[in-house]
Amino acid sequence: MKKAKILVTRAVFPEVIARLEQYFEVEHNQADEAWSKQQLADKLRDKVGAFTTGGERIDAEVLAAASQLKICANMAVGYNNFDVPAMTARKVLGTNTPDVLTETTADFGFALLMATARRVTESEHYLRDGKWDRWSYDMFSGSDVHGSTLGILGMGRIGQGIARRGAHGFGMNVVYHNRSRLSPELEAECKARYVAKDELLKTADHLVLVLPYSAQSHHTIGAPELALMKPTANLVNIARGGIVDDAALAAALREKRIAAAGLDVFEGEPKVHPDLLTVPNVVLTPHIASATVPTRKAMANLAADNLIGFLVQGKALNPLNPEALA
Ligand code: GLV
């Protein structure tokens, strides 16, 4: 029987391509070329499935060209690159890769929190630049993590992982805000107390953002929210660019209206707001929160499982818009 045609939009583990080739005729991009939207649309024209990685926008325009497309499997838990209503209207199923990256991403949230609080990269640059000629009592004094108040905005699986690390590992007092409150059992397990958003902003010593991006969460943290935070507070964003107003944040950091920030995601990434590149009190990483080899392999395999599950066995594992199949 003729194999169905799928597109893999970016370079991925060769063994995942080999797995997909057992089931499909695969057009891949192992050269990792940057495709324009038009090129992506053209390549999707004769495909029934797409393996995407979170950077490729699947919207009405692309879908209009992809009349045979049935499924887009994102190798990411976030899926703000999908226009879900447009996909549903065209009966295209979207899938993502939850769970497999939760603990790895929570580890990284904590790494960024620690690096930000203890000024790890700022002090390393000072050392590498040859500026360290003697010890001094106040050199790179940061903020304590243990025993401080950890605020979490967005209390899904990753937020809960960060709460557990903070409460159980570092004796932090954990407060959170979320669209919906956790069950009493989960709150007890995470040792986390639900508070209103303003209270979260006012009380957190370390505020970690882990909420999904949508039109509603655009600039959730802008100048008014930053103004509520303590001047000693640190902000960590491992969620998505666009949740923070990066220009407002850079100004707050420069004027020391908050102490420091750790950012793994940026508005318009891979571009970074130029003002963030010139303030010293920010730790910047290139969207790597889920980047360990085992986790990235698990994500790639889960995206492949979704394609195989849906196109070969008739059932996707992580459907985002099951109504597309109605
Ligand atoms: C990474 O940002 C993801 O959404 O998996």
Side-chain angles (χ1 to χ4, degrees):
M1 215 175 75
K2 223 164 165 280
K3 288 177 176 171
K5 292 186 180 179
I6 67 161
L7 179 71
V8 180
T9 58
R10 293 288 312 275
V12 287
F13 299 99
E15 66 262 35
V16 175
I17 299 285
R19 249 192 93 202
L20 289 167
E21 281 174 338
Q22 291 173 20
Y23 301 92
F24 307 113
E25 187 180 323
V26 180
E27 178 175 350
H28 59 66
N29 183 13
Q30 290 301 80
D32 216 18
E33 284 166 5
W35 293 338
S36 67
K37 189 168 184 170
Q38 188 56 53
Q39 281 173 307
L40 175 64
D42 288 344
K43 286 175 188 294
L44 283 174
R45 216 169 280 279
D46 60 346
K47 306 296 187 303
V48 295
F51 180 120
T52 52
T53 62
E56 300 81 59
R57 180 98 186 119
I58 304 294
D59 59 12
E61 222 178 304
V62 169
L63 292 165
S67 59
Q68 304 192 37
L69 195 65
K70 292 191 170 65
I71 175 171
C72 282
N74 227 22
M75 182 189 150
V77 67
Y79 52 92
N80 54 301
N81 57 316
F82 288 171
D83 179 338
V84 175
M87 289 169 68
T88 304
R90 288 251 170 201
K91 299 201 174 302
V92 175
L93 185 72
T95 63
N96 67 342
T97 58
D99 302 321
V100 291
L101 48 61
T102 301
E103 298 302 326
T104 295
T105 305
D107 279 352
F108 188 81
F110 231 87
L112 204 47
L113 186 159
M114 297 288 285
T116 302
R118 299 304 306 273
R119 305 176 66 177
V120 171
T121 55
E122 193 185 345
S123 59
E124 183 181 347
H125 283 132
Y126 175 87
L127 181 153
R128 284 181 187 269
D129 291 347
K131 293 180 181 158
W132 184 33
D133 52 7
R134 60 201 298 237
W135 179 92
S136 69
Y137 77 98
D138 61 349
M139 196 164 70
F140 293 107
S141 303
S143 337
D144 271 325
V145 173
H146 71 274
S148 64
T149 295
L150 169 61
I152 302 177
L153 187 55
M155 198 60 154
R157 290 162 285 221
I158 298 169
Q160 291 164 36
I162 292 169
R164 287 194 190 92
R165 282 160 177 76
H168 300 287
F170 289 81
M172 296 171 93
N173 163 38
V174 181
V175 286
Y176 78 98
H177 183 77
N178 196 42
R179 266 177 313 186
S180 50
R181 203 172 155 168
L182 296 185
S183 67
E185 295 74 32
L186 266 182
E187 281 191 352
E189 206 182 302
C190 296
K191 292 197 182 176
R193 186 166 61 84
Y194 181 85
V195 293
K197 187 176 153 202
D198 279 9
E199 188 182 340
L200 184 82
L201 293 166
K202 284 182 195 160
T203 54
D205 294 311
H206 307 276
L207 177 63
V208 183
L209 309 178
V210 213
L211 63 166
Y213 180 81
S214 67
Q216 290 71 43
S217 63
H218 183 74
H219 286 187
T220 294
I221 302 294
E225 289 76 22
L226 291 163
L228 291 178
M229 292 176 68
K230 297 179 189 178
T232 51
N234 300 304
L235 175 71
V236 172
N237 186 8
I238 56 163
R240 273 292 180 272
I243 286 178
V244 175
D245 176 344
D246 285 349
L249 174 62
L253 289 167
R254 188 179 306 282
E255 292 158 21
K256 303 269 170 63
R257 283 186 270 119
I258 67 167
L263 307 174
D264 187 47
V265 286
F266 305 88
E267 283 191 282
E269 64 186 51
K271 290 206 183 91
V272 175
H273 193 291
D275 294 354
L276 285 173
L277 296 172
T278 57
V279 283
N281 45 343
V282 61
V283 179
L284 306 168
T285 52
H287 203 145
I288 58 167
S290 65
T292 66
V293 173
T295 291
R296 285 281 164 89
K297 284 193 173 171
M299 291 164 70
N301 275 305
L302 184 52
D305 288 343
N306 273 300
L307 285 166
I308 298 162
F310 184 64
L311 292 172
V312 181
Q313 289 138 7
K315 195 169 172 1
L317 300 175
N318 310 103
L320 297 168
N321 55 339
E323 62 280 11
L325 308 177

